[in-house]
Amino acid sequence: MMPEEHNGISEMTIRPVFLVDRQVFQGYCSYIRRILVGLTGTAHASALVCPSCVNTEAILCPSVEQIEHPALRLPVFWYPNRRILLERLSRFKPTILHAFYPGQIHLAHWLSQQLDIPYVLTLHRSTAQWLRFEKSIRDAAGIIAPSETVADHLQKNWPGLSERIKRIHIGSFVEDSCRCFFRSGQIASLIAIHPLDDASVFKPFLNAVRHLVLDGFDLMVVMMGKGRKEKHIRRQIRILGLISVVTVIPPMRPVRSIFSGADIYLHLEDTGGFDARLLEAMAVGLAVAGVSEKSSGLLHDGQTACFWDGADELSIYGCLKKLLGQRAETRQLAINGQAHLRKHNSVSRMVDELMKTYIEAQHWYKDHYKELEKESVMIG
């Protein structure tokens, strides 16, 4: 199934298949949809491999073929599920596979060998757990990093892969207006989207909010998430007397409609990975406050965000007091964030660079295949 030789790379057929599991879908639903929408205009067919438990209506386009995997939802059917998937993909005739960390990387590697086509990987974070996928990463025809930090980390770990590492910013559609304090006199609305698994992440923040309320600031805080420490965090809110100020709600979609009613997005912890919700919040026009992070390259203290020390209650208090007390400056942070996205994170640029990466990956795979044939002949 090697691609045919053409005079120009623009003539090469691109039929990508995206391998998405539940975890990747939950974290990067909007990102994947924008890729699929962007590819619709290229006249190349694409397919999405995903489990039946995800709401594919949120990302599917009419021209995208959906392939359910696993077809048989029992672990004992692991091997039959792979054979069923391989058969369906053979009928679709893909030219390249695209998987996302930490999802179906091993599956992409196996399918690549079975179908004799290249695969590319998107790695959203810098982590030692990459070593679990070292063989799959080394054999990938292209490795996509969303920021300079992740790309540098990849090149440091695998310097021999430098030519295959591509830095492609995740794209987003930026709103024409800025939502942050767009109405004078409104109660400040703050929102955080974070797993409720570690109470220590929320304790200094909630204490800072309590001091702001005592200082007379009118604000409303929404914490969206769920986790094993939810009851503990709710109890902490009651003890601090913040029931009328802080509301805990379960994860909801689409997040854009929720962000449209807020002013400030709270980045409570750096998880080491690209935060797609942070991107959406900035695109809507929310000011960002919280801990620093490097995985996305979106946050710059004093320019597109206001940083605090997540373990220091006074640092959080000082940052929020500044943002709530100087609304014009806070709104300017949000406007700066939107300008940054328009310059670096456009959807059209992302799709163009992905298409270029797919084409380069197919050429690399073809050349690599020829080299392996030469080596086998010499050994023989």
Side-chain angles (χ1 to χ4, degrees):
M1 291 186 63
M2 300 303 300
E4 297 179 359
E5 190 74 40
H6 292 289
N7 295 326
I9 62 174
S10 61
E11 299 176 5
M12 182 173 286
T13 300
I14 305 296
R15 292 174 64 85
V17 169
F18 299 90
L19 307 177
V20 178
D21 64 4
R22 184 172 184 175
Q23 183 178 356
V24 169
F25 176 84
Q26 290 176 339
Y28 303 100
C29 172
S30 299
Y31 167 43
I32 296 170
R33 172 169 173 73
R34 285 173 193 142
I35 295 176
L36 295 176
V37 171
L39 291 176
T40 300
T42 65
H44 297 292
S46 56
L48 178 72
V49 175
C50 61
S52 59
C53 58
V54 302
N55 179 21
T56 54
E57 292 181 1
I59 61 175
L60 276 182
C61 306
S63 62
V64 178
E65 180 174 338
Q66 179 184 354
I67 300 175
E68 184 180 317
H69 176 75
L72 307 171
R73 297 183 62 186
L74 284 175
V76 71
F77 295 122
W78 177 85
Y79 181 75
N81 277 324
R82 285 205 165 188
R83 302 312 302 182
I84 292 171
L85 175 60
L86 184 61
E87 181 181 345
R88 294 197 62 181
L89 287 178
S90 297
R91 291 199 298 267
F92 178 75
K93 294 181 172 54
T95 62
I96 193 163
L97 303 165
H98 189 163
F100 306 81
Y101 179 89
Q104 305 281 21
I105 292 181
H106 288 317
L107 179 61
H109 194 183
W110 182 81
L111 287 172
S112 171
Q113 295 173 330
Q114 300 300 313
L115 296 169
D116 194 18
I117 59 174
Y119 66 97
V120 300
L121 304 175
T122 293
L123 305 181
H124 290 119
R125 65 175 65 234
S126 304
T127 173
Q129 293 180 353
W130 280 348
L131 296 176
R132 293 170 47 208
F133 306 98
E134 182 170 6
K135 174 62 175 173
S136 297
I137 291 175
R138 287 187 179 277
D139 288 349
I143 304 169
I144 299 169
S147 68
E148 184 176 357
T149 302
V150 177
D152 290 345
H153 191 75
L154 279 165
Q155 290 173 351
K156 181 179 179 181
N157 281 270
W158 294 289
L161 307 182
S162 296
E163 292 184 359
R164 282 178 272 161
I165 297 173
K166 312 296 181 182
R167 189 179 70 183
I168 302 178
H169 295 294
I170 294 178
S172 182
F173 296 111
V174 181
E175 299 288 344
D176 294 331
S177 60
C178 176
R179 302 299 299 181
C180 179
F181 297 131
F182 74 103
R183 293 177 183 170
S184 60
Q186 66 181 356
I187 296 177
S189 177
L190 291 68
I191 184 169
I193 302 180
H194 198 280
L196 307 180
D197 292 326
D198 187 356
S200 64
V201 173
F202 298 90
K203 184 177 180 180
F205 168 73
L206 291 173
N207 285 331
V209 171
R210 176 176 176 270
H211 285 296
L212 290 168
V213 172
L214 293 175
D215 286 349
F217 284 96
D218 289 327
L219 69 154
M220 178 177 63
V221 180
V222 174
M223 298 197 310
M224 183 186 300
K226 61 181 180 179
R228 60 182 182 274
K229 292 295 183 180
E230 181 174 344
K231 290 184 178 179
H232 181 89
I233 294 169
R234 288 183 180 275
R235 184 168 63 250
Q236 191 175 8
I237 293 171
R238 289 196 301 270
I239 292 172
L240 294 174
L242 297 175
I243 294 179
S244 62
V245 176
V246 181
T247 302
V248 179
I249 62 174
M252 301 172 63
R253 286 193 176 91
V255 292
R256 280 229 175 189
S257 61
I258 299 168
F259 288 151
S260 64
D263 302 297
I264 299 173
Y265 179 81
L266 305 169
H267 185 247
L268 298 179
E269 184 182 30
D270 181 18
T271 61
F274 188 93
D275 186 350
R277 294 173 291 261
L278 168 63
L279 178 70
E280 295 301 290
M282 293 178 65
V284 171
L286 272 61
V288 179
V291 300
S292 63
E293 63 87 48
K294 298 180 179 179
S295 297
S296 69
L298 299 175
L299 301 185
H300 305 277
D301 193 22
Q303 300 176 36
T304 61
C306 182
F307 289 165
W308 66 47
D309 180 350
D312 187 346
E313 177 185 325
L314 290 178
S315 174
I316 299 172
Y317 168 78
C319 178
L320 290 177
K321 184 178 181 180
K322 178 182 178 182
L323 293 178
L324 297 173
Q326 302 176 14
R327 293 194 171 192
E329 289 80 357
T330 302
R331 181 173 169 81
Q332 187 59 51
L333 279 180
I335 293 173
N336 292 346
Q338 288 181 305
H340 180 87
L341 296 188
R342 291 189 184 101
K343 182 177 180 180
H344 301 285
N345 296 78
S346 73
V347 174
S348 59
R349 176 183 296 180
M350 175 188 69
V351 173
D352 288 344
E353 292 180 352
L354 278 174
M355 285 295 295
K356 181 180 178 181
T357 299
Y358 293 157
I359 293 170
E360 291 177 351
Q362 290 186 201
H363 278 287
W364 177 88
Y365 185 78
K366 181 174 62 176
D367 294 339
H368 182 66
Y369 183 80
K370 289 180 179 178
E371 288 297 324
L372 291 178
E373 282 188 335
K374 290 180 182 178
E375 291 178 7
S376 63
V377 170
M378 293 176 64
I379 293 174

